[in-house]
Amino acid sequence: MLYLAALLVHCVPLAMAQYDICKSWVTTDDGPSWEFYACQPKAMRMKDYVTVRVDPAGITCGDPPERFCTHENPYLCSDECDASNPDLAHPPKLMFDSEDEGLATYWQSVTWRRYPEPLLANITLSWNKSIELTDDIVITFEYGRPTIMMLEKSLDNGRTWHPYQYYADDCMEAFSMPARRVRDLSTTSANRVLCTEEYSRWAGSKKEKTVRFEVRDRFAIFAGPDLKNMDNLYTRLESAKGLKDFFTVTDLRMRLLRPALGGTYVQRENLYKYFYAVSNIEVTGRCKCNLHANLCTFKEGSLQCECEHNTTGQDCGKCKKNFRSRSWRAGSYLPLPNGSPNACAAAGSAFGNCECYGHSNRCSYIDFLNVVTCVSCKHNTRGQHCQHCRLGFYRNSSAELDDENVCIECNCNQIGSMHDRCNETGYCECREGATGPKCDDCLPNYYWRQGCFPNVCDDELLLCQNGGTCYQNQRCICPVGFKGVLCQQSRCEADKQDCDGARGARGSPAALALAVLALQLPGWVDL
Ligand SMILES: *[C@@H]1O[C@H](CO)[C@@H](O)[C@H](O)[C@H]1NC(C)=O
Ligand SMILES: *[C@@H]1O[C@H](CO)[C@@H](O)[C@H](O)[C@H]1NC(C)=O
Ligand SMILES: *[C@@H]1O[C@H](CO)[C@@H](O)[C@H](O)[C@H]1NC(C)=O
Ligand SMILES: *[C@@H]1O[C@H](CO)[C@@H](O)[C@H](O)[C@H]1NC(C)=O
Ligand SMILES: *[C@@H]1O[C@H](CO)[C@@H](O)[C@H](O)[C@H]1NC(C)=O
Ligand SMILES: [Ca+2]
């Protein structure tokens, strides 16, 4: 037993015997029953479950076969990479095998023969599952560590990426960032993304081979140098915003931006000694199960939490069917030492049979109607079971009734629509002349100006006459001497005096000013 415990501690350094059971059968004064606790799976070697992708195409050496040299022995270029020969090939999977035989096996890139074009490579690791890191990420480079590289992470299976750490022999030059060390971070900056120079300087290719993402040093900010005070870390993980997510990933990407240079500048006459070679990528972490599972298994090509507490989903991120009488919640590390399970509750366990689809965690009995109804439905729902959408929202047809996104705002145009309600497909009810799902367009022969108005003039039926021009379908700008909505009326015919006046004033500054005014004032049709 002692031996086993020692072994476990050795393999998974942070798997303290805490939060490792989800329930236990206890006997109390009222008889035996289950007691439930917050629980999480053990930390595992995550490289065993990863899928890897190396970009760009053709970056892996050996196709065609190529000779390479090393910094130690730059003129003895006897090594060869040949993808078609298993003994000389360096495929990506060699970053994840076990190095039992003592001889390192490694993925290797092509050499920098295209210098000065940069030698870039991306190594992307995907788990298709959210994972909480529990120990350092350790990347081992044979033949020298890159002089510039970057670590990125994704939390959404590779849809979006965020910088995780920058590495360079000169952070200012490479990334315009000051060099910092994780050891110097404080409680308020434990989740800062920084640039470090600790892993990029030349120290001989055999001596310092690893590049780290320091999870332990960040944990130590809260748990002390030997991680003895894990309680404090767990308390912080619950309370400090974004801290838990900082250590959570679904994917990692190493962006290799410049290879080892052997401690000097690039020597153009021998570019065969510049390349990347990675023998191991160690990622230690546990499945993120929202503290609702203590087991995580590899099924159908992906890791899956074995959910307890009547939760379900890959991360135990929702309540099981018929257990949705209150909204789903993650378990909590607090209060110490056993945490809170925040289990999902069976429909009907509170009052009668009151399902609220997870939009409310309170039911109330209405005496004079003799019904039990959900109270304060969230997520823009309403109704006895929070099964309808609030006014001004409509049902999202691609979401289940218990989805947070079940109701979508109608977003009716305030001016173009009659009110802010819409039908089941999101169409608003439009005022005269307006159209479009949200009533923010005008029908043909209408123009938009704080609502839709019928055209006064256009290029087809409502032509401005006598050389007048149609201004934005709103009015005709008539030449001097004509008036009327469509300039159809001659001033001379209409009024002899007006006609004389117009002639007399033609070309005078006053007439020009009036014409300019007419152009500027909307609605001024008749001059
Ligand atoms: C590496 O990935 C980044 C995005 O994370 C992308 O912008 C870049 O083009 C990729 N580089 C290569 C060589 O594929
Ligand atoms: C990712 O995991 C989900 C849930 O287990 C599964 O349905 C899906 O097929 C997986 N996708 C890939 C690409 O493996
Ligand atoms: C989950 O549901 C089962 C079946 O109703 C029940 O026996 C069990 O106690 C529930 N577990 C929790 C944590 O509520
Ligand atoms: C509808 O629900 C789906 C599933 O949750 C969600 O991905 C989508 O964003 C929702 N649509 C809108 C417009 O909110
Ligand atoms: C909603 O209104 C639009 C436009 O009037 C119509 O095409 C659609 O069929 C309506 N949808 C429903 C479910 O009534
Ligand atoms: Ca290896």
Side-chain angles (χ1 to χ4, degrees), residues 450-462:
Q450 310 275 315
C452 294
F453 293 91
N455 287 350
V456 173
C457 55
D458 61 27
D459 297 336
E460 289 167 19
L461 295 172
L462 299 166

Side-chain angles (χ1 to χ4, degrees), residues 114-188:
R114 293 239 182 94
Y115 178 87
E117 204 180 290
L119 181 64
L120 304 177
N122 284 356
I123 303 172
T124 306
L125 313 188
S126 306
W127 282 275
N128 188 27
K129 170 79 191 79
S130 39
I131 286 170
E132 292 164 345
L133 299 176
T134 57
D135 207 337
D136 292 4
I137 298 170
V138 185
I139 309 154
T140 310
F141 288 89
E142 305 297 322
Y143 306 109
R145 303 174 293 188
T147 46
I148 308 180
M149 68 171 268
M150 207 188 143
L151 186 65
E152 291 182 325
K153 74 163 197 172
S154 172
L155 257 171
D156 54 11
N157 294 316
R159 275 184 287 282
T160 57
W161 290 90
H162 311 278
Y164 215 9
Q165 190 145 306
Y166 296 85
Y167 302 86
D169 54 357
D170 184 336
C171 282
M172 236 350 154
E173 182 204 281
F175 297 113
S176 306
M177 292 170 82
R180 299 179 70 115
R181 293 186 313 174
V182 171
R183 283 194 292 280
D184 301 333
L185 293 175
S186 68
T187 50
T188 52

Side-chain angles (χ1 to χ4, degrees), residues 36 309-310 323 343-344:
F36 299 99
H309 303 157
N310 292 314
F323 288 90
C344 293

